[in-house]
Each structure stands twice: as structure tokens, then as C-alpha cells.
Amino acid sequence: MHGMKSLLGAVLLVVSVAGCARRAPEAQQTPSSSTTTVYVARRVRTLDAERPMAEALSVRAGKVLAVGTRDEVLAAAGADARVVDLGDATVVPGLTDAHGHLSGLGASLAGVQLQGTASRDEVLSRVASAPATARQGDWLLGQGWDQNDWPEKSFPGRAELDAKYPNTPVVLDRIDGHAMWVNGEALRRAKITKDTPDPEGGRILRGPDGEPTGILVDNAMNLVGAVIPPPTDAQLEARLAAALARCAEVGLTGVHDAGMDLRTFRLLQRWDKEGRLPLRVYVMAEGQGADRETYLKEGPFQGRMLTLRSVKLLVDGALGSRGAALHAPYSDEPGHRGLLVLSPEDYEARVKAFMERGFQVSTHAIGDRANTLVLDTLLRQAEATGTRHLRHRVEHAQVMRQEDIVRMGKNGFVASMQPTHATSDMPWAEARVGPERIQGAYAWRKLKEAGAPLAFGSDFPVERPDVLLGLYAARTRQDAEGQPPGGWYPAQRLSGEETLEAFTVGAAQAAFAENERGRLKPGMDADFVAFSVDPVDAPPAELLTAQVKLTVVAGAEIHAAR
């Protein structure tokens, strides 16, 4: 994961506790091969150059049957066709979040939600009123705090938690997923003391007396993570069901899951076989831990709605917690260049092994040093293994030197980026890297013009999964109040159509699915979304209050606005 606070700040993702107790998704009722449904709207944006605009489309057996004017499509469909009139809505091809975390989203919906908290006291208040779903065994879990939103801007410590929870282990993940705030009981159970050395690729923050402060960064978080009891089967199912439902509600027809553990993958395999997976999930296998050995042994997988043919690796941390690996020291922490969470040798060995097994390699790289390392390694190993055709990806591609932007485009590596990271990070990002390095940060336009394919996502639950927020951020580079005027480094903005393409065509290409999805034309999958506004032409501010009227995947209506 990566990133910072949600685009709308204190406007929280509100999901009831009951919503987190959803059962496994029901089997999808895909229309029969003989049923034709016609959808009529004010506008249908097809992203098909041969017919970019239409008024209607028809669907049969999960595929697009016809696209055209209302009269054309109705006449071709026949008198017994089912007709759905979407009124003033605009229909667009199905949007895919090209970098999200379903289990993380499910856990965040179940745990104490700390996004948008304006102070340590507000965090403690929310923890005090934690829902029952926030318990995992006797551990109390939460996610989403960001010290950059607080008056003091400094990391919190264990003392505040110890005062209220002397005997209950408490673990609160930072918004970027790269730092953890824990209390003394959690440290005790993880056997972390003043004598515990920093693990490679991690930091245990310490006070003047050498005692752990309660903040763990990157690989140091694994020391606590290893002793938290795993969720029960019922908890896992409820959380994943809630996450998938949330994705459908916000207008997503697909998700690229960035680093799925084997247990979650097995559950989704079962749901897919039973016809219970409501949207398309493209899996990047979790390549950091022990599960990678099983993924390597079994190789890629193709189901009906579930695909596994990529692996997710991480080489550095995040900018907000100063874990991103930089060539030169941080502008606001002299002498510190961030963390490599995998050694270059270990990273290269994993890249080679997965490439040889036929996997697309997708690597988290935030800092410019990490991005250089990733490009060097991908170029070397793609050539050695003959896998340049596997469309290897750089996840985030966040702070890059100009020469690496050129190299990435020249070699066609996918830039898998998240627009809302820029609008969340802009209040402090330049302080981290300075005025020169910021020129190559969140540089969508530069990467696109260099020739790198763009695939957009959100990195949920780091950011909200609401795709309309990503569409807004990419067009404006502004927050929800329209700040800063004209946008933050506005030369990197994209047009409405370019942004829509990055969530549709670009995401499909990044998953080898451009012949099936990303556009609306006869014969392609019937994946589409109806919005209350046109995401391309509407004034950008309207995207912040727009409605998702209908989400359709393989011809099945998986969400309809009440």
C-alpha cells in the first residue's frame, strides 16, 4: 500500500457495522443467452474510435450485442427485449481500479476507521467507541490515521494508548499501510524491547532512552503482524463480501488486487467456481512472504471472473512515513534516504523466478532510488528471460528522475498510478523531496508523453475506492475545495477522456484484456457503468457529488442506485 488521507479529508467512508457482516455474495444471476436487454441513456461513451458516441446498447449472454441510436438498437433487439431507460445518465465502459487491496478494504470497513481524524484525541475517541467487528481475537485493530493532518504533525506514541488500554493489544495502521502505532501490550506480545534491533528494511522508532515509542515503520511492522491472530473464516468472508459490495457501489466493474495472500485467493477461487464473484478480480500474487512458493509452484490461473497472472513485489516504503527510497537524503530529514524493504539481490532473484514462471511482475516503487532499481532489474531480467511481452508494471511510479521517466516510456512498462495520491500528498510532498525532485513526482503527463501506458487506481483502502474521486483528481490536481487555484503542478493534469481511458482501456491493457474489455463495441464483455453526469465533459466539481446509477458486469446488474 501507499498514499495518504482521502481526497475529501474529513468526509469519511461510512459503512455500517451491519454492512461488514454481509454473507458471501449470492450466485450471480447472469441473463440467459436468449434474453436481450437494451439500455438507453442520454449518452453512451464507447471509447470505440469507429463509433465514440451512442444513445443505447443491447446486451445478451454477457456480451455487447449492438451499440447505436435508440431507434437502431431497439429495432434490432426485437419486441420481447427488456428495456432499461437510464434517463439523463451517461454510460461508460466498465471502470477498473488497477491497484487496490480487497482484504485491506474489508478489514478497514470492519475495524476502527481513522481516516480524516484531525488530532490524536480524535483517534483515541474513535478507538474508545470501536465496533465489535474491530476485534480480532482480543486484539483491537484500526486503520487510517495520518499525523500530517494533526496540529503537531509528529508521530504519536504508546503512552496515549497505554493509558486507556494497559492490557488489550492495540494496533492502528497509518493511512499508507507503511507505519503502525501500537501500545505497550502489543509490543510485549511481539517481544519488542529496547534491545530489539531494527529489522532489515524497517525502523523501530525509539525515544531518548532507547525504548520503542510505539511506532513501527515498514518491515518492523511484521514483528507485530506475526503475532496477531488471523481473522476467522467467517470474518474473512464477511470482510471480502463487504469490500466487493463497496466496489460495485462506487462504480467499479473490476479490481487489480495488489498482493493477494493465498488464503484470500483460495476463497475467491471458490466463490468464482460457485458463480458468487460479482466483479472481475485480477490478482497480483503476494510475492513478499512464504505464499510466493505456492504461487510459483502452481503458476497462473484463469477462472470465470478471477485471473491470476501477476505478482506484487515491494522494494521500498512510502513517502509520508519517509520510507520511500531516495537517491539523495530527504529534504526534511537530512541524512535519511528511506528504506529498501527487499535487498537488490533478493528482489532480482524473485523477479527472475516469477518471470520464468510466466508471471507479469508488478513492483511497488515510490522513491526515485527505488524506481531506478526496479527499471534496471526489469530491463535486465525481461531481456534474460525473454518476457518483455508480459507487460511488467511499476506500481505507483511516484517520484522519478527524468531519465527514468524516459526509460520507462521507451520500454513500454506500465505506469500503474493513483490520481488521488497526488491530491492527498500535495500539502507536504514537496517538503519531503524539494523543488527539483518534485518535478518528476506524480507525473502522469510526462509518463504518458514518454510512451508509458497508464493504468489508474486508488490503492484502497489507503484512499477511498470511489472512482469518481480519481476521475476528478486526474482532471484537476485539486482538493475538494478547488485548491490550489489552477491545480498543483497543473501541467501534469489529464483531459477527461485521457483519465477515463486510464481507468478503462489502460487497466484492461495492463491485465491483457484489451480485446475483451475497456471499450463498448459488439462482441466485447458487457461491463459498463451509468453515472449521473458525464465524467469526461461535466464540470469537474460535479464529479464530487455525482451518483453511480448502475454497475453491470458480464451483463449482470450488480449495483443499482435506490
Side-chain angles (χ1 to χ4, degrees):
M1 295 186 194
H2 156 63
M4 296 300 302
K5 65 186 179 184
S6 76
L7 177 67
L8 295 185
V11 181
L12 298 177
L13 174 61
V14 179
V15 178
S16 69
V17 172
C20 290
R22 285 187 175 94
R23 298 178 179 178
E26 297 296 324
Q28 293 300 305
Q29 300 299 313
T30 304
S32 70
S33 58
S34 60
T35 302
T36 299
T37 301
V38 175
Y39 295 90
V40 181
R42 178 174 64 88
R43 178 176 294 169
V44 177
R45 284 193 175 272
T46 67
L47 297 182
D48 175 15
E50 295 180 5
R51 189 157 198 173
M53 293 290 188
E55 298 172 335
L57 75 159
S58 59
V59 174
R60 183 188 297 165
K63 300 287 185 181
V64 176
L65 187 63
V67 179
T69 68
R70 175 191 178 103
D71 292 342
E72 287 171 345
V73 175
L74 286 171
D80 59 346
R82 171 176 172 256
V83 179
V84 177
D85 191 337
L86 295 168
D88 288 338
T90 295
V91 171
V92 298
L95 295 111
T96 294
D97 191 309
H99 185 113
H101 305 271
L102 288 168
S103 61
L105 178 59
S108 75
L109 297 177
V112 185
Q113 295 180 34
L114 304 174
Q115 296 91 338
T117 45
S119 66
R120 300 183 192 196
D121 286 343
E122 187 177 355
V123 170
L124 296 171
S125 175
R126 290 198 195 175
V127 173
S129 56
T133 54
R135 296 277 181 168
Q136 202 160 293
D138 66 336
W139 291 64
L140 182 56
L141 308 181
Q143 188 269 345
W145 60 271
D146 177 5
Q147 84 283 2
N148 291 310
D149 290 344
W150 304 343
E152 61 271 27
K153 311 292 184 194
S154 59
F155 276 129
R158 58 190 280 191
E160 296 104 320
L161 295 175
D162 287 346
K164 294 180 180 292
Y165 299 95
N167 302 311
T168 297
V170 180
V171 176
L172 307 176
D173 285 335
R174 191 177 182 279
I175 185 72
D176 60 7
H178 286 268
M180 183 184 278
W181 177 15
V182 303
N183 68 346
E185 179 63 11
L187 291 171
R188 186 187 69 78
R189 295 196 189 188
K191 297 181 171 57
I192 298 173
T193 70
K194 67 185 300 183
D195 299 319
T196 304
D198 285 354
E200 185 176 352
R203 299 170 82 189
I204 301 170
L205 299 196
R206 305 169 196 270
D209 57 358
E211 290 289 342
T213 65
I215 293 294
L216 308 173
V217 179
D218 286 314
N219 285 352
M221 299 190 302
N222 298 336
L223 302 175
V224 168
V227 297
I228 299 175
T232 65
D233 289 346
Q235 283 178 318
L236 180 63
E237 292 203 14
R239 293 173 184 182
L240 283 174
L244 290 164
R246 181 63 184 160
C247 289
E249 289 165 5
V250 300
L252 292 171
T253 61
V255 169
H256 296 180
D257 192 283
M260 185 177 288
D261 66 275
L262 193 60
R263 184 185 179 200
T264 302
F265 179 62
R266 294 290 189 232
L267 175 58
L268 294 191
Q269 275 186 308
R270 174 162 64 83
W271 282 357
D272 188 45
K273 185 177 181 180
E274 296 170 354
R276 294 177 181 271
L277 200 53
L279 45 83
R280 302 185 194 276
V281 181
Y282 180 81
V283 176
M284 305 176 207
E286 205 286 301
Q288 299 295 108
D291 285 350
R292 72 181 187 277
E293 299 299 337
T294 301
Y295 282 125
L296 275 169
K297 180 181 177 182
E298 296 185 1
F301 168 85
Q302 182 62 60
R304 176 176 172 267
M305 303 288 283
L306 183 69
T307 302
L308 165 71
R309 65 176 300 177
S310 186
V311 63
K312 166 75 177 304
L313 299 170
L314 292 90
V315 297
D316 71 340
L319 202 62
S321 47
R322 297 185 183 86
L326 301 178
H327 283 291
Y330 276 79
S331 298
D332 58 358
E333 188 177 341
H336 180 60
R337 296 196 303 143
L339 300 167
L340 289 177
V341 298
L342 282 179
S343 70
E345 297 77 19
D346 193 5
Y347 172 61
E348 183 143 18
R350 297 184 193 207
V351 168
K352 180 176 186 292
F354 275 98
M355 283 184 178
E356 288 178 340
R357 195 67 174 90
F359 282 84
Q360 172 194 57
V361 173
S362 304
T363 309
H364 163 119
I366 302 291
D368 55 7
R369 177 162 56 111
N371 276 284
T372 299
L373 169 64
V374 168
L375 290 178
D376 287 346
T377 307
L378 291 181
L379 285 166
R380 187 162 52 243
Q381 286 301 325
E383 189 67 30
T385 59
T387 62
R388 294 182 72 94
H389 64 287
L390 291 182
R391 305 180 188 180
H392 304 299
R393 302 167 47 150
V394 181
E395 303 299 314
H396 310 307
Q398 189 167 291
V399 182
M400 299 186 70
R401 299 186 302 180
Q402 180 60 36
E403 57 264 41
D404 284 337
I405 290 175
V406 172
R407 278 204 302 164
M408 190 162 168
K410 178 181 177 182
N411 290 282
F413 293 126
V414 176
S416 174
M417 305 178 78
Q418 301 76 40
T420 48
H421 281 341
T423 50
S424 289
D425 296 2
M426 63 186 180
W428 50 263
E430 189 165 345
R432 292 284 193 275
V433 299
E436 291 186 16
R437 286 182 290 192
I438 202 69
Q439 302 297 325
Y442 316 88
W444 316 318
R445 170 66 60 195
K446 286 183 178 180
L447 279 160
K448 182 177 180 64
E449 291 181 351
L454 296 182
F456 276 176
S458 69
D459 198 12
F460 66 72
V462 173
E463 305 280 354
R464 292 168 59 183
D466 305 47
V467 70
L468 284 159
L469 302 183
L471 293 165
Y472 170 84
R475 287 178 59 186
T476 65
R477 293 178 74 96
Q478 293 175 318
D479 65 17
E481 285 72 48
Q483 297 298 320
W488 184 60
Y489 290 97
Q492 297 308 307
R493 289 181 307 199
L494 299 179
S495 71
E497 184 159 329
E498 288 171 331
T499 302
L500 181 61
E501 287 176 343
F503 279 105
T504 53
V505 178
Q509 289 174 334
F512 307 90
E514 68 272 19
N515 293 325
E516 290 82 40
R517 292 181 286 284
R519 308 181 196 276
L520 293 173
K521 58 190 297 186
M524 298 189 79
D525 289 334
D527 293 9
F528 55 91
V529 181
F531 290 120
S532 60
V533 303
D534 186 332
V536 171
D537 283 350
E542 292 185 9
L543 297 175
L544 298 175
T545 56
Q547 257 196 318
V548 178
K549 290 195 166 186
L550 187 68
T551 308
V552 177
V553 180
E557 297 173 4
I558 65 169
H559 168 74
R562 292 186 178 91

